[in-house]
Every structure is written in C-alpha cells, then in structure tokens.
Amino acid sequence: MYKIGLIGCGYMGQAHLIDSFSRENICIYGVCDLNRKRAEEMGRRYHVKKVYDTAGELIADPQIDIVIIATYPSTHLPLLKLCLENKKHVLCEKPITDNLADGPEFVKLVKENRECKVLVGHILRHNDTYIKVKEMLDEGLIGKPLIMRMVQNHNTLGNWEKHRALIEETSPIIDCGVHYIDVMRWFTGEEVTQVDGVGTATESGLSKGKYNYGMINVMLSGGSVGFYEAGWGNSLETDNTKEFIGPLGRIKITYQRERAEHKEDGNLISIYKYAERTTEYINVPFDEKPTGAELEHLIEMIEKNIPANPMIDDVYRSFEIVCEADKKITEKLLKRTEQRHDE
C-alpha cells in the first residue's frame, strides 16, 4: 500500500482526496496547507493519519511514498526539488512553474531523477470522454484538418478574490490553457507552428499587465487550427464549449453538469456525420475529476516502469506555447496602456 502526502488542500487538493480516499492500494497518510485549519478539516474528513505544519516536514517523512503537489504554480519547482532530494514519487498539478524561464529546470530534474517517478497532472489525458473522442478522431470519423473550439470561462461571483490571487501568479490562459493546447497536439498528432492571442481586464484591482480574460489561436503543422478562450470574472457566463469540426462532420462534448437532462448518464458526446446528415449520441459515465486515474497511472509508472502520460517533453511544449501566447497578450495590453497614457 502506498502512503500519500498531499500538499495543498484547496480545490484541486480536495479533488485528489475525494477520488483517492476509497482506493484499496493507497492510504492518504498526511496533508498540509498554509491554512492549518483547512488542513485539519480535510484530515478529519478523510481520516488522514497526520497533519503537517510545513510541506518540508511532510516531504521529509520516511513514511510518505508519493507526494501530491496541489499548490500555486510558483511553489511547484522548489517542492519538486525537495521531493526528489527525499526520493519521493510525485504527482504535480499543472502548470509546472509560474514562468517559462524555470520550465527547463523542472524538465531537467524529472529526466535526471528517473528512479523517482514524476507525473504532471494533465487530467484530460486520463478522462474517459476525451480518450473516447481521441479514438474517434484516430479512426478518421470526421476527417482532417480539424477546427478545434475550446472555451473555459468561469463566473466567479462570490469567489472573485481567490481567482484574483491566482491571476497574480498566472493567467487564465496559462493555468488551464496547458490542458487544451495539449489536447490539440494529442488529438491531431500535429505540432503548433503559429500562436497569437488577445486579452483584457474587465475586473478592477489587477496588477499592470494582468488580465482576467484571454483568447489564443494556434495553427498546427497539418493544417488544423484551434482557439482556446479562458476568462474568470463576475460578469462572465460559465461556458465549457468543446467542439471538433472536420470535413466529414463534427464532435462535441457536453459536460455532465451542463446537460439539461439525463445528467445521471455522465458526459455527452454528440457526433454529427455530414454524409448521412445524422447525429449520434454517446453517454460516458463520469463522477468526479479523474484524479484517481492519474494516481493509478503514477503507480503503474512505479511498478511497471511505463511512460508518463503525457511525457514531460509534451508537458513542457504545451507550457511553452501558452507562455508565448501570454507574453504576446501582455505586451499588447501594456502597449495599449502606454498609448492611453500618452493621449
């Protein structure tokens, strides 16, 4: 049985606890969080054996086999270093760091410490709905090239301060964009050759050059194109559009929570076939974020020496692309601010 130590008891940390708590081959041994009360609450809820005062104390404990890092991006690299120094296996949430300059060091550490298995949490790679769509695309169901339309907007009414704090660390484009750029490369087997983006701030109180809404567009080597739109704000409508269009038809994903009916059936995949003028529907069972599937993959990496999914080079490439888009968006915002000041 593997003993798990969780660092960070926020939204994603709790998702890991929920999906891993009842698994027979693991024990949630310890947790820690900057908010001690929250860590203690999670400890009671999930019958955790120990609540640690610091991440360093948790990582140094010889009882811990696997560390889950579910903290802000700026802490990921130093925590990874400490885990590897203590010979821990690691499941680290994305993005790998809060800036592109530190990305290569994260990759280097993973490659130089192969005895310690490291998996970065690109959760859509382990999501049965996305795996099913990938299979359909590989079968040529809608042909190529693809148009990929992806939106991840969140209404933050009542919870804006949490999102504002995260924006000071990383933009919405980077935070979740790594998932969807990875999906575009994974689904098509193509490489991103061009990237651009726009963004703006509709909320007050953000630092200079920071934004709460952005959109990036990419061109891929096989002729496919895609856009990813991400925003966090009090006046935005929550939107999770995920659509893939080819010359032979289109495939759309509707998340369980957004279905008007039959929510008990899980996520919905709609397949429109142009030649037949027909639409088919597939239900994919879905309960929570498949963080447990990620953890099971990490355990297989430990026991069977299988590759990470995605591989660390793919993780870095997606991170590099969204960072390039974020840089372009920020430069445009700053230039626009300067022009207004001059006027």
Side-chain angles (χ1 to χ4, degrees):
M1 177 174 288
Y2 294 92
K3 294 178 181 177
I4 308 298
L6 171 71
I7 305 173
C9 297
Y11 175 71
M12 280 308 302
Q14 291 179 43
H16 283 284
L17 289 170
I18 290 168
D19 207 13
S20 302
F21 173 64
S22 61
R23 293 179 183 270
E24 295 182 356
N25 59 340
I26 69 164
C27 163
I28 305 294
Y29 187 84
V31 298
C32 74
D33 191 276
L34 290 174
N35 183 333
R36 173 79 187 195
K37 288 184 178 179
R38 180 163 62 184
E40 290 174 347
E41 179 187 345
M42 292 302 106
R44 288 191 296 272
R45 185 180 300 177
Y46 296 100
H47 307 291
V48 172
K49 298 188 181 301
K50 188 171 182 180
V51 176
Y52 297 83
D53 291 322
T54 67
E57 183 184 352
L58 181 151
I59 293 169
D61 191 333
Q63 293 292 326
I64 300 290
D65 302 304
I66 297 171
V67 176
I68 299 175
I69 301 173
T71 53
Y72 273 17
S74 60
T75 67
H76 290 177
L77 180 58
L79 288 175
L80 175 70
K81 286 180 182 178
L82 199 54
C83 286
L84 296 178
E85 288 169 4
N86 284 271
K87 306 302 180 185
K88 307 298 186 186
H89 304 292
V90 179
L91 172 54
C92 181
E93 277 303 321
K94 53 73 197 166
I96 52 176
T97 74
D98 64 332
N99 65 86
L100 184 58
D102 287 340
E105 185 177 359
F106 190 104
V107 174
K108 184 174 180 234
L109 284 169
V110 171
K111 291 184 174 182
E112 287 180 347
N113 294 271
R114 296 186 184 275
E115 72 280 7
C116 297
K117 302 303 181 183
V118 179
L119 180 65
V120 177
H122 278 232
I123 200 165
L124 299 182
R125 291 275 190 145
H126 305 271
N127 184 310
D128 288 341
T129 305
Y130 283 82
I131 292 169
K132 181 64 177 177
V133 172
K134 166 65 171 169
E135 291 171 356
M136 294 176 181
L137 296 174
D138 286 347
E139 291 167 0
L141 190 64
I142 62 173
K144 279 189 175 182
L146 292 180
I147 300 167
M148 294 169 282
R149 304 175 60 244
M150 302 195 186
V151 181
Q152 194 81 4
N153 289 335
H154 292 297
N155 180 279
T156 60
L157 190 61
N159 205 14
W160 164 245
E161 280 306 309
K162 183 190 83 169
H163 288 83
R164 186 196 62 75
L166 183 54
I167 288 170
E168 294 299 324
E169 280 249 337
T170 186
S171 70
I173 285 297
I174 293 178
D175 182 63
C176 288
V178 289
H179 282 315
Y180 297 102
I181 293 298
D182 180 61
V183 166
M184 291 180 193
R185 297 178 69 247
W186 174 38
F187 277 12
T188 62
E190 302 172 19
E191 186 51 84
V192 173
T193 56
Q194 293 182 37
V195 59
D196 203 351
V198 294
T200 195
T202 63
E203 301 288 342
S204 61
L206 296 177
S207 298
K208 187 178 180 180
K210 298 293 185 179
Y211 58 96
N212 67 294
Y213 171 85
M215 179 186 290
I216 66 175
N217 58 80
V218 298
M219 181 172 288
L220 294 98
S221 55
S224 296
V225 296
F227 79 80
Y228 172 64
E229 175 185 342
W232 306 331
N234 292 310
S235 55
L236 283 167
E237 181 180 15
T238 298
D239 185 355
N240 284 293
T241 299
K242 305 292 183 295
E243 189 172 35
F244 310 91
I245 305 162
L248 304 179
R250 65 177 178 269
I251 298 173
K252 184 175 182 178
I253 296 171
T254 302
Y255 289 158
Q256 180 182 38
R257 62 182 177 271
E258 295 178 352
R259 296 182 67 166
E261 54 186 3
H262 305 302
K263 291 189 178 186
E264 67 278 4
D265 291 332
N267 294 336
L268 178 70
I269 301 175
S270 310
I271 309 106
Y272 171 71
K273 296 180 180 179
Y274 167 67
E276 293 90 344
R277 306 293 199 275
T278 59
T279 303
E280 300 175 8
Y281 299 97
I282 297 175
N283 294 303
V284 182
F286 189 79
D287 292 318
E288 298 287 347
K289 287 180 180 291
T291 50
E294 287 180 319
L295 186 55
E296 290 293 347
H297 188 89
L298 177 60
I299 290 171
E300 284 200 68
M301 289 170 63
I302 297 167
E303 295 180 348
K304 301 179 182 178
N305 200 34
I306 66 170
N309 183 24
M311 300 282 283
I312 192 62
D313 287 336
D314 287 322
V315 169
Y316 178 73
R317 180 60 182 142
S318 296
F319 180 60
E320 184 179 41
I321 291 164
V322 295
C323 285
E324 181 183 349
D326 179 72
K327 181 181 177 182
K328 290 183 176 181
I329 293 170
T330 301
E331 287 173 348
K332 290 173 184 177
L333 283 171
L334 292 174
K335 184 177 180 181
R336 191 162 67 215
T337 301
E338 290 172 3
Q339 288 172 342
R340 287 174 179 170
H341 184 267
D342 291 340
E343 291 173 357

